[in-house]
Amino acid sequence: MRASTLYALLAMPAVLTAQMPSAPSVPPPDGFRVYLITDMEGLASVVFNREIISGYEGERYRNQSSQDYWDHYRDLMTREVNAVIAGARAGGARSFVVNEGHGGNLFGNILPWDLDTAAILIRGWPKPMVMSTGLDSSAGAVMFIAAHANAGTPGIISHTYAFDRLTVNGRVLNETGINALVAGEYGVPVVLVSGDDEVVRQAKEQLGPGVIGVITKWAIGRNAGITLSPAVVRQMLADSAAVAVRRAQRGEFRPFTLAKPYQIELVLRHSYPAELIAPIDTLSGFHLEKTADRTYRFVTTDAREMARLLDAIELVVLR
Ligand SMILES: [Zn+2]
């Protein structure tokens, strides 16, 4: 998700004062369910932010994209997700929940009419715990599609919500790791991560070497890479998703867990002006302790509470 991008634009007073809606449950599965968290930074061939924002996010972004760029890449995203579903189906999965995790066009990027008809799609904003809305223990496996690397690392369009750094129990987590921990609360393992070589390396480091990685491109820097053909990547995604589901059904993956209570440390982006982040000091509803400039400590026994805190911080910081 390009969360900062998104919330900066969405941060109109009406949105800020509104409660995050509660999400109804997704209809129960008939067969093995795969929950897909779909982003765009890690799609085959994507290297520029303008390729993955629509220009409709808000004022600041009006001239930073064009319909031409975004139309192509939302089509490519839809095809990559379909390839994953086709592969997962071949591996034995029968239910597919697709949650849009990319803030471009306010989480409305996938083309619903071109998406595999078996998929249940969660799109739009605001939605609680944006990258894991609708996830529950009915899923047998989680897959991250087109993910990106952690803030401050040499991945393509790398970032982590509104932070320069986020650690849990002293371990740095990227967006994949954060949401893997949320999935772990439901007992659901992450089985596959696709994106550039850097996010795949991070996934294995954070979640363990057993997670299946699909490298769609190799990062040269934040806005350059060496990419495979998108068609070849779709075949790789399908093949890997089939293997992942077979292995998941054999119980070969463990949910990602860390010792509780979680000791969380957040470092807000230093690129934000001070007045923008001042309200975080008095954020209500969370026991957030300021330990240094832009650095906060939070302790919880539930990763979902951490996810809700991240939502709240984004809304405040980007006012
Ligand atoms: Zn994104």
Side-chain angles (χ1 to χ4, degrees):
M1 175 175 72
R2 186 84 182 155
S4 60
T5 299
L6 166 71
Y7 288 107
L9 295 174
L10 289 179
M12 298 166 286
V15 172
L16 282 170
T17 53
Q19 289 290 315
M20 194 61 78
S22 62
S25 296
V26 175
D30 185 11
F32 188 86
R33 168 168 283 176
V34 178
Y35 181 93
L36 295 90
I37 300 175
T38 61
D39 214 331
M40 289 186 82
E41 288 83 347
L43 291 170
S45 79
V46 163
V47 290
F48 296 120
N49 217 26
R50 65 172 176 267
E51 293 169 338
I52 53 172
I53 62 174
S54 67
Y56 290 130
E57 291 81 3
E59 275 306 314
R60 256 176 68 196
Y61 294 83
R62 188 157 289 172
N63 298 315
Q64 296 197 16
S65 185
S66 72
Q67 281 300 118
D68 180 56
Y69 279 123
W70 178 68
D71 275 347
H72 282 299
Y73 283 98
R74 71 188 303 208
D75 175 68
L76 184 60
M77 179 193 199
T78 308
R79 293 201 215 184
E80 285 200 8
V81 173
N82 281 343
V84 171
I85 292 174
R89 181 183 285 114
R94 291 295 175 265
S95 172
F96 312 93
V97 177
V98 178
N99 179 35
E100 288 231 17
H102 180 69
N105 202 45
L106 311 188
F107 300 91
N109 300 285
I110 287 171
L111 297 165
W113 43 90
D114 287 339
L115 185 62
D116 190 296
T117 56
I120 295 170
L121 177 62
I122 301 168
R123 65 195 302 265
W125 196 89
K127 54 181 179 176
M129 300 190 288
V130 287
M131 295 188 81
S132 54
T133 311
L135 174 62
D136 60 28
S137 54
S138 70
V142 167
M143 298 184 185
F144 286 92
I145 307 306
H148 56 79
N150 209 16
T153 63
I156 294 173
I157 322 177
S158 58
H159 61 277
T160 308
Y161 293 94
F163 309 106
D164 280 340
R165 180 181 161 90
L166 184 150
T167 61
V168 178
N169 299 353
R171 294 175 56 162
V172 173
L173 294 186
N174 61 13
E175 291 184 12
T176 307
I178 292 164
N179 289 285
L181 199 60
V182 173
E185 299 288 352
Y186 296 106
V188 184
V190 173
V191 303
L192 183 151
V193 176
S194 78
D196 68 16
D197 59 321
E198 180 64 16
V199 72
V200 168
R201 188 191 65 74
Q202 290 175 12
K204 289 177 178 286
E205 182 181 282
Q206 291 174 31
L207 308 179
V211 66
I212 294 176
V214 180
I215 295 176
T216 61
K217 56 197 172 188
W218 290 267
I220 294 173
R222 286 198 88 246
N223 293 113
I226 300 168
T227 186
L228 296 170
S229 158
V232 169
V233 166
R234 287 196 292 277
Q235 190 59 53
M236 290 162 53
L237 286 166
D239 292 347
S240 297
V243 170
V245 169
R246 288 190 195 109
R247 285 182 50 194
Q249 289 181 305
R250 292 199 295 264
E252 293 184 16
F253 298 99
R254 291 252 176 100
F256 179 54
T257 57
L258 294 172
K260 297 186 180 186
Y262 305 124
Q263 310 284 335
I264 300 160
E265 188 177 82
L266 311 166
V267 182
L268 287 164
R269 290 190 196 189
H270 283 79
S271 57
Y272 293 148
E275 61 271 21
L276 208 63
I277 62 164
I280 295 292
D281 294 353
T282 54
L283 191 69
S284 63
F286 297 94
H287 294 290
L288 198 59
E289 181 194 348
K290 187 169 187 173
T291 54
D293 181 42
R294 294 175 190 249
T295 304
Y296 300 82
R297 188 168 165 274
F298 181 65
V299 181
T300 181
T301 56
D302 191 331
R304 290 165 289 199
E305 192 62 19
M306 173 179 66
R308 284 188 278 270
L309 172 65
L310 300 188
D311 285 348
I313 288 177
E314 294 278 353
L315 286 169
V316 171
V317 165
L318 296 154
R319 169 171 270 175

